[in-house]
Amino acid sequence: MSVLLPGSIQRVLVTGGAGFIGGAVVRRLLNESQIQVFNLDKCGYASDLTSIGEHERHHLLRVDLSDAEATAAAIRQADPDLVMHLAAESHVDRSIDGPGVFVSSNVLGTFNLLQAVRSHWEQLPTERQSAFRFHHISTDEVFGSLEEHGRFSETTAYDPRSPYSASKAASDHLVSAWHHTYGLPVVLTNCSNNFGPWQFPEKLIPVVILKAVAGEPIPLYGDGGNVRDWLYVEDHVDALLLAATRGESGRSYCVGGSGERTNKQVVESICALLDQRRQSSAPHAALITPVTDRPGHDRRYAIDPSRIQAELGWQPQHSFDQALAQTVDWYLAHLEWCAEMRQRSGWSGERQGLKAGHHSQ
Ligand code: NAD
Ligand code: DAU
């Protein structure tokens, strides 16, 4: 699906564009349109700009959203017609170890951004003001945990259960409040688990690939029966661009690819793909090792995407199996990038998210 931007959109501010999903959004905007792209990112441990490279229409604004003044200055500089807000601390296990930065980035950061954007929007000339959108990118985790049956939809009650999901839920509520109270034109999307190239290698799929390649134990939390609804990142980008440009102001859209799998199934599929691609003395699945469960581990996520399909015509273009194979091939071709990212971040692959009792910030 190529990007069809209305002529009213000439300048887009993407927050978190040095991250996994934001980077995919920035690349799509640069490759498939002629607009100016402002990429506001604090350039944290999960950030990398290799996939974007040098581009004359790409403008990096290295700003931490928890800094209100710097955020306001960045909005003045970008002077956007559309804001796509993806910047957030995003890893559940890290939020268990150190919840403070999730509150400052995801809650305070969204508040600072909303205030700066509101002031910008209020001063826009009428035509630009009426075409303006603030698109908040959120997660299905705000809805909590499902039992065996049922799916999340736009009317599901919020029930966040991790510091990460609580901070995202708080940011969703701030965005809705700025719409209802100040009239800011907003659109929200809540998406399920993404996978694909350039994802920082601490999330399940890259962790499994890297551990298997290194011949190290592959950590499977708990009984491996937790279910996630996997979506290829480029399909998410399609949904985001549709919601940002055609979504109704004040409306939210759930995004998911009907890709439900238990973690055990995902891990076994990756091992089978690696068996076809790399020689090893034993099947890679022999490395799968049950480990202590994540504290408060949500059991199952699943999305009902009927609204975005019916109202905006979104359909995922990739099957889980095909996209997983592509992703495995991508990581095998980018092992050096993964090693560099780990080294730069100061995290070398050890288990995260078990320090719930340590009370670190
Ligand atoms: P990521 O961790 O790969 O990237 C997030 C980016 O945001 C990083 O470059 C980081 O430096 C930046 N950032 C964080 N705090 C910031 C701050 N205070 N100021 C400026 N920049 C800051 O995350 P991702 O997986 O690309 O997720 C992007 C967004 O999509 C997040 O809002 C996340 O909640 C949401 N989301 C992610 C998934 C998923 O499966 N990855 C699914 C649904 C929704
Ligand atoms: O649902 C959307 C969310 O998906 C996003 O909002 C988050 O930003 C994103 O990180 C992701 O959260 P999860 O916690 O679901 O993703 P993660 O890759 O950390 O874990 C996926 C599942 O795999 C989860 O049930 C925990 C399990 N797991 C994870 C790791 C890292 C393991 O069994 N072993 C592991 O080593």
Side-chain angles (χ1 to χ4, degrees):
M1 204 181 279
S2 65
V3 184
L4 276 180
L5 294 177
S8 56
I9 299 178
Q10 295 298 321
R11 302 166 71 86
V12 175
L13 176 80
V14 178
T15 74
F20 165 51
I21 304 172
V25 170
V26 168
R27 292 195 299 279
R28 189 77 77 82
L29 289 171
L30 290 172
N31 292 338
E32 297 183 14
S33 79
Q34 290 305 313
I35 61 159
Q36 302 295 320
V37 181
F38 295 82
N39 181 354
L40 185 160
D41 201 298
K42 70 178 177 185
C43 296
Y45 78 92
S47 306
D48 185 52
L49 294 164
T50 313
S51 74
I52 298 171
E54 290 290 317
H55 199 294
E56 58 178 10
R57 284 184 287 107
H58 176 241
H59 312 279
L60 179 67
L61 306 171
R62 193 173 178 151
V63 167
D64 189 325
L65 289 172
S66 61
D67 180 339
E69 276 182 30
T71 300
I75 299 301
R76 286 194 293 273
Q77 186 182 338
D79 184 22
D81 303 306
L82 165 67
V83 174
M84 298 179 75
H85 177 36
L86 294 101
E89 290 295 333
S90 70
H91 191 39
V92 174
D93 288 339
R94 281 184 192 253
S95 82
I96 296 168
D97 291 339
V101 70
F102 286 73
V103 175
S104 62
S105 279
N106 303 359
V107 186
L108 179 63
T110 300
F111 165 74
N112 287 338
L113 182 65
L114 282 166
Q115 286 291 73
V117 167
R118 180 183 147 217
S119 158
H120 163 71
W121 169 72
E122 283 171 351
Q123 290 167 42
L124 284 175
T126 318
E127 212 174 307
R128 281 188 76 197
Q129 193 179 67
S130 54
F132 184 85
R133 282 285 184 283
F134 180 92
H135 177 190
H136 180 61
I137 285 83
S138 192
T139 169
D140 59 358
E141 301 204 7
V142 299
F143 301 123
S145 182
L146 292 164
E147 301 296 332
E148 207 178 322
H149 299 290
R151 295 193 290 174
F152 299 133
S153 76
E154 295 79 6
T155 54
T156 305
Y158 275 47
D159 183 22
R161 294 149 42 106
S162 74
Y164 162 69
S165 55
S167 70
K168 290 296 292 186
S171 67
D172 291 13
H173 290 316
L174 289 174
V175 171
S176 295
W178 261 241
H179 172 68
H180 289 288
T181 305
Y182 304 111
L184 188 71
V186 306
V187 170
L188 270 90
T189 47
N190 295 87
C191 188
S192 59
N193 286 62
N194 282 217
F195 68 104
W198 306 107
Q199 185 171 36
F200 184 79
E202 66 186 346
K203 305 281 170 80
L204 178 67
I205 288 177
V207 162
V208 174
I209 300 168
L210 296 188
K211 294 281 184 194
V213 166
E216 294 172 6
I218 298 169
L220 187 60
Y221 296 178
D223 65 2
N226 300 66
V227 173
R228 297 293 182 263
D229 186 350
W230 294 94
L231 182 69
Y232 190 56
V233 63
E234 293 298 335
D235 287 326
H236 188 195
V237 175
D238 287 345
L240 294 180
L241 292 168
L242 280 172
T245 56
R246 295 193 221 155
E248 191 183 313
S249 176
R251 205 148 171 81
S252 72
Y253 300 88
C254 281
V255 186
S258 305
E260 276 186 68
R261 300 277 186 292
T262 64
N263 293 337
K264 189 163 179 284
Q265 286 171 325
V266 171
V267 173
E268 286 173 349
S269 299
I270 296 170
C271 289
L273 288 163
L274 289 171
D275 288 344
Q276 293 162 11
R277 286 156 171 78
R278 290 174 77 94
Q279 283 201 328
S280 64
S281 49
H284 290 89
L287 295 166
I288 300 172
T289 309
V291 296
T292 309
D293 209 352
R294 170 184 280 173
H297 198 176
D298 288 340
R299 187 64 182 173
R300 176 172 163 259
Y301 304 145
I303 286 275
D304 173 0
S306 309
R307 178 182 287 180
I308 192 163
Q309 289 180 339
E311 296 183 12
L312 304 181
W314 176 76
Q315 280 295 341
Q317 305 296 312
H318 300 82
S319 76
F320 176 80
D321 291 332
Q322 171 213 350
L324 186 67
Q326 277 175 24
T327 303
V328 167
D329 287 334
W330 187 91
Y331 275 95
L332 291 179
H334 291 80
L335 294 174
E336 228 170 89
W337 177 81
C338 294
E340 262 174 50
M341 288 298 285
R342 271 186 177 178
Q343 197 192 13
R344 213 194 301 159
S345 72
W347 173 75
S348 46
E350 65 277 12
R351 174 74 191 267
Q352 303 186 98
L354 286 178
K355 300 183 198 145
H358 285 207
H359 306 300
S360 83
Q361 279 287 304

